[in-house]
Amino acid sequence: MQEIGAWVRHRIRVIIVKQWKKPKAIAKGLKWYCRVFGFMFSDEEIFKAANSRKGLYAQCNGDVINYILSPKVLGTKLKRKRKETVYPGLIDPLAYYLNRI
């Protein structure tokens, strides 16, 4: 279950970065998550991660994106102010399974 949860979180990171499409949008999104959750990454580190020439899977496995889009971040409920939409957050399958036993 732990390996499945790690694979799902990695795949979700890839999907999020793929939705941002361009390096400028990736940097903007990563900066937003840093500001909201209080991470202390410099603009240079975020710029390097966003403008990496690696593929999406390798790019999302790097330190910066892997830390910013951590399980804590992916598991929180986010509410947008403009659209009143609530993103439910990702459930950890191992914790869910252990709570059901």
Side-chain angles (χ1 to χ4, degrees), residues 9-24:
R9 285 189 299 274
H10 182 69
R11 186 68 181 129
I12 295 294
R13 281 187 206 101
V14 171
I15 291 169
I16 290 171
V17 172
K18 192 172 188 176
Q19 286 179 345
W20 287 334
K21 295 183 181 176
K22 296 185 179 183
K24 189 183 260 186

Side-chain angles (χ1 to χ4, degrees), residues 25 29 41 62 86:
F41 283 103
V86 176

Side-chain angles (χ1 to χ4, degrees), residues 4-16 33 69-78 86-96:
I4 292 171
W7 180 82
V8 168
R9 285 189 299 274
H10 182 69
R11 186 68 181 129
I12 295 294
R13 281 187 206 101
V14 171
I15 291 169
I16 290 171
Y33 276 106
L69 298 176
S70 64
K72 174 190 161 200
V73 172
L74 294 175
T76 58
K77 291 185 179 185
L78 294 175
V86 176
Y87 298 105
L90 183 66
I91 298 171
D92 183 24
L94 181 62
Y96 182 77

Side-chain angles (χ1 to χ4, degrees), residues 9-10 13 59-71:
R9 285 189 299 274
H10 182 69
R13 281 187 206 101
Q59 187 177 8
C60 292
N61 206 18
D63 293 337
V64 176
I65 295 177
N66 204 9
Y67 189 82
I68 292 175
L69 298 176
S70 64

Side-chain angles (χ1 to χ4, degrees), residues 31-100:
K31 285 179 188 178
W32 183 82
Y33 276 106
C34 280
R35 189 180 71 243
V36 169
F37 289 97
F39 298 131
M40 302 303 268
F41 283 103
S42 68
D43 289 342
E44 183 180 347
E45 291 172 322
I46 292 174
F47 183 80
K48 283 182 191 177
N51 288 301
S52 174
R53 301 185 98 199
K54 298 178 181 177
L56 287 176
Y57 268 77
Q59 187 177 8
C60 292
N61 206 18
D63 293 337
V64 176
I65 295 177
N66 204 9
Y67 189 82
I68 292 175
L69 298 176
S70 64
K72 174 190 161 200
V73 172
L74 294 175
T76 58
K77 291 185 179 185
L78 294 175
K79 185 173 183 179
R80 294 198 120 163
K81 294 179 182 178
R82 291 185 232 155
K83 296 183 181 179
E84 296 298 324
T85 57
V86 176
Y87 298 105
L90 183 66
I91 298 171
D92 183 24
L94 181 62
Y96 182 77
Y97 176 75
L98 292 176
N99 286 336
R100 291 292 192 171

